[in-house]
Amino acid sequence: MAMTKAGLAQELCDQLGVNKREAKELVELYFDTVREVLAEGESVKISGFGNFNIREKTPRPGRNPKTGEEIPISARRVVTFKPGQKLKHRIESYAGAVEQ
Amino acid sequence: MVRSELIEKMVETMPGLAPRDIELAVKIIQEHMIDNLADGGRIEVRGFGSFSLNYRKPKIARNPRTGESVPLAGRHVVHFKPGKELREMVDHPSTD
Protein backbone atom coordinates (compact mmCIF):
# COMPACT_ATOMS: atom_id res chain seq x y z
CA MET A 1 0.00 0.00 0.00
CA ALA A 2 1.27 3.42 -0.91
CA MET A 3 2.20 5.86 1.83
CA THR A 4 -0.19 8.82 1.95
CA LYS A 5 -0.68 11.96 4.01
CA ALA A 6 -2.62 9.86 6.53
CA GLY A 7 0.38 7.54 6.97
CA LEU A 8 2.73 10.47 7.49
CA ALA A 9 0.32 12.03 10.00
CA GLN A 10 0.21 8.74 11.92
CA GLU A 11 4.01 8.78 12.05
CA LEU A 12 3.93 12.29 13.55
CA CYS A 13 1.42 11.14 16.18
CA ASP A 14 3.69 8.26 17.15
CA GLN A 15 7.03 10.05 17.08
CA LEU A 16 6.15 13.61 18.01
CA GLY A 17 3.32 12.98 20.45
CA VAL A 18 0.99 15.50 18.80
CA ASN A 19 -2.71 14.75 18.40
CA LYS A 20 -4.32 13.57 15.17
CA ARG A 21 -5.56 17.02 14.20
CA GLU A 22 -2.19 18.70 14.73
CA ALA A 23 -0.39 15.90 12.90
CA LYS A 24 -2.67 16.33 9.91
CA GLU A 25 -2.14 20.10 10.02
CA LEU A 26 1.64 19.69 10.04
CA VAL A 27 1.62 17.34 7.04
CA GLU A 28 -0.66 19.69 5.07
CA LEU A 29 1.44 22.68 6.08
CA TYR A 30 4.62 21.00 4.84
CA PHE A 31 3.38 20.12 1.37
CA ASP A 32 1.34 23.32 0.98
CA THR A 33 4.41 25.42 1.80
CA VAL A 34 6.66 23.57 -0.67
CA ARG A 35 3.96 23.94 -3.30
CA GLU A 36 3.50 27.64 -2.64
CA VAL A 37 7.24 28.33 -2.99
CA LEU A 38 7.33 26.37 -6.26
CA ALA A 39 4.29 28.26 -7.54
CA GLU A 40 6.25 31.48 -6.95
CA GLY A 41 8.85 30.11 -9.34
CA GLU A 42 11.45 29.41 -6.67
CA SER A 43 13.19 26.04 -6.28
CA VAL A 44 13.13 24.12 -2.99
CA LYS A 45 16.33 22.39 -1.88
CA ILE A 46 15.98 19.92 0.96
CA SER A 47 19.36 18.53 1.93
CA GLY A 48 19.35 14.76 2.26
CA PHE A 49 16.11 14.42 0.35
CA GLY A 50 16.41 16.29 -2.93
CA ASN A 51 15.75 19.42 -4.94
CA PHE A 52 12.50 20.52 -6.55
CA ASN A 53 13.34 22.75 -9.49
CA ILE A 54 11.29 24.83 -11.89
CA ARG A 55 11.98 24.47 -15.59
CA GLU A 56 10.74 26.69 -18.35
CA LYS A 57 9.81 24.58 -21.37
CA THR A 58 9.78 26.11 -24.82
CA PRO A 59 6.89 25.40 -27.19
CA ARG A 60 7.30 22.39 -29.47
CA PRO A 61 5.25 20.53 -32.01
CA GLY A 62 3.39 17.54 -30.59
CA ARG A 63 1.09 14.88 -31.92
CA ASN A 64 -2.02 13.12 -30.78
CA PRO A 65 -0.68 9.55 -30.61
CA LYS A 66 -4.10 8.09 -31.33
CA THR A 67 -5.03 10.10 -34.41
CA GLY A 68 -1.59 11.25 -35.57
CA GLU A 69 -2.93 14.77 -35.69
CA GLU A 70 -0.36 17.53 -35.08
CA ILE A 71 -0.98 19.72 -32.03
CA PRO A 72 1.34 22.49 -30.87
CA ILE A 73 2.54 22.12 -27.25
CA SER A 74 2.67 25.59 -25.73
CA ALA A 75 5.49 26.98 -23.58
CA ARG A 76 5.04 25.90 -19.98
CA ARG A 77 6.59 25.82 -16.58
CA VAL A 78 7.11 22.44 -14.93
CA VAL A 79 8.46 21.02 -11.67
CA THR A 80 11.28 18.50 -11.72
CA PHE A 81 12.69 16.55 -8.79
CA LYS A 82 16.32 15.55 -8.42
CA PRO A 83 16.98 13.19 -5.51
CA GLY A 84 19.83 14.11 -3.17
CA GLN A 85 22.87 11.94 -2.39
CA LYS A 86 21.38 10.35 0.70
CA LEU A 87 18.09 9.39 -0.95
CA LYS A 88 19.84 8.19 -4.10
CA HIS A 89 22.17 5.91 -2.19
CA ARG A 90 19.42 4.51 -0.01
CA ILE A 91 17.35 3.67 -3.09
CA GLU A 92 20.18 2.22 -5.15
CA SER A 93 20.76 -0.43 -2.54
CA TYR A 94 17.12 -1.53 -2.66
CA ALA A 95 17.31 -4.99 -4.20
CA GLY A 96 13.63 -5.87 -4.06
CA ALA A 97 11.41 -7.30 -6.75
CA VAL A 98 12.07 -5.90 -10.19
CA GLU A 99 9.00 -5.01 -12.21
CA GLN A 100 9.36 -5.61 -15.88
CA MET B 1 14.77 28.05 -0.78
CA VAL B 2 16.52 25.65 1.58
CA ARG B 3 15.07 23.60 4.40
CA SER B 4 15.69 26.14 7.20
CA GLU B 5 13.93 28.86 5.18
CA LEU B 6 11.08 26.50 4.43
CA ILE B 7 10.67 25.85 8.16
CA GLU B 8 10.68 29.61 8.87
CA LYS B 9 7.93 30.09 6.32
CA MET B 10 5.90 27.29 7.90
CA VAL B 11 6.31 28.87 11.36
CA GLU B 12 5.06 32.21 10.00
CA THR B 13 2.06 30.58 8.35
CA MET B 14 1.02 28.68 11.48
CA PRO B 15 1.89 30.77 14.54
CA GLY B 16 -0.31 28.48 16.62
CA LEU B 17 2.03 25.53 16.20
CA ALA B 18 5.24 25.24 18.23
CA PRO B 19 8.26 26.04 16.02
CA ARG B 20 10.08 23.08 17.56
CA ASP B 21 7.24 20.74 16.55
CA ILE B 22 7.32 22.11 13.00
CA GLU B 23 11.06 21.57 12.73
CA LEU B 24 10.83 18.02 14.08
CA ALA B 25 7.81 17.27 11.91
CA VAL B 26 9.72 18.23 8.76
CA LYS B 27 12.55 15.95 9.83
CA ILE B 28 10.23 13.04 10.60
CA ILE B 29 8.28 13.45 7.35
CA GLN B 30 11.46 13.40 5.27
CA GLU B 31 13.04 10.50 7.12
CA HIS B 32 9.86 8.52 6.83
CA MET B 33 9.54 9.20 3.11
CA ILE B 34 13.15 8.11 2.56
CA ASP B 35 12.66 4.94 4.63
CA ASN B 36 9.49 4.11 2.74
CA LEU B 37 11.10 4.53 -0.69
CA ALA B 38 14.20 2.61 0.42
CA ASP B 39 11.89 -0.32 1.26
CA GLY B 40 10.56 -0.25 -2.29
CA GLY B 41 7.44 1.68 -1.34
CA ARG B 42 5.51 4.37 -3.11
CA ILE B 43 4.30 7.72 -1.76
CA GLU B 44 1.17 9.49 -2.92
CA VAL B 45 0.40 12.98 -1.68
CA ARG B 46 -2.91 14.23 -3.04
CA GLY B 47 -2.50 17.64 -4.70
CA PHE B 48 1.28 17.50 -4.52
CA GLY B 49 2.49 14.44 -6.39
CA SER B 50 3.77 10.90 -6.09
CA PHE B 51 7.18 9.35 -5.59
CA SER B 52 7.92 5.89 -6.93
CA LEU B 53 10.89 3.76 -7.96
CA ASN B 54 11.96 3.02 -11.49
CA TYR B 55 14.31 0.19 -12.34
CA ARG B 56 17.44 0.73 -14.43
CA LYS B 57 18.77 -2.39 -16.12
CA PRO B 58 22.40 -3.39 -15.61
CA LYS B 59 24.62 -2.04 -18.36
CA ILE B 60 28.21 -1.55 -19.36
CA ALA B 61 29.05 2.11 -19.13
CA ARG B 62 32.24 3.87 -20.07
CA ASN B 63 34.43 6.31 -18.26
CA PRO B 64 34.31 9.13 -20.80
CA ARG B 65 37.76 10.34 -19.84
CA THR B 66 39.67 7.07 -20.11
CA GLY B 67 37.35 5.08 -22.37
CA GLU B 68 37.52 2.28 -19.82
CA SER B 69 34.47 -0.04 -19.50
CA VAL B 70 32.66 0.14 -16.18
CA PRO B 71 30.00 -2.47 -15.40
CA LEU B 72 26.92 -0.94 -13.74
CA ALA B 73 24.60 -3.22 -11.78
CA GLY B 74 20.82 -2.93 -12.13
CA ARG B 75 19.53 -0.31 -9.75
CA HIS B 76 16.49 1.69 -8.75
CA VAL B 77 16.04 5.43 -9.13
CA VAL B 78 13.44 7.74 -7.62
CA HIS B 79 10.78 9.16 -9.87
CA PHE B 80 8.59 12.12 -8.93
CA LYS B 81 5.38 12.82 -10.76
CA PRO B 82 3.87 16.21 -9.89
CA GLY B 83 0.17 16.09 -9.03
CA LYS B 84 -2.48 17.99 -10.96
CA GLU B 85 -2.82 20.84 -8.48
CA LEU B 86 0.96 21.40 -8.25
CA ARG B 87 1.30 21.29 -12.05
CA GLU B 88 -1.43 23.87 -12.48
CA MET B 89 -0.16 26.18 -9.74
CA VAL B 90 3.35 26.19 -11.22
CA ASP B 91 2.21 26.65 -14.81
CA HIS B 92 -0.35 29.38 -14.05
CA PRO B 93 0.96 31.07 -10.93
CA SER B 94 -1.41 34.04 -11.20
CA THR B 95 -4.60 32.01 -11.32
CA ASP B 96 -4.24 30.02 -8.09
Side-chain angles (χ1 to χ4, degrees), chain B residues 13-45:
Chain B
T13 311
M14 284 288 195
L17 295 170
R20 198 187 124 270
D21 280 352
I22 292 184
E23 197 176 339
L24 285 171
V26 169
K27 198 174 166 194
I28 293 167
I29 290 170
Q30 281 165 197
E31 289 298 322
H32 198 61
M33 285 170 72
I34 293 175
D35 287 347
N36 188 265
L37 288 167
D39 283 343
R42 184 185 152 80
I43 303 165
E44 283 178 14
V45 182

Side-chain angles (χ1 to χ4, degrees), chain A residues 45-47, chain B residues 1-7 26-27 30:
Chain A
K45 299 173 193 292
I46 300 168
S47 64
Chain B
M1 180 170 281
V2 296
R3 181 164 67 178
S4 55
E5 296 165 317
L6 189 76
I7 291 169
V26 169
K27 198 174 166 194
Q30 281 165 197

Side-chain angles (χ1 to χ4, degrees), chain A residues 94-100, chain B residues 40 53-58 73-76:
Chain A
Y94 169 67
V98 169
E99 297 165 37
Q100 282 302 346
Chain B
L53 298 188
N54 279 345
Y55 180 65
R56 294 281 180 267
K57 282 188 269 190
R75 66 191 202 282
H76 286 87

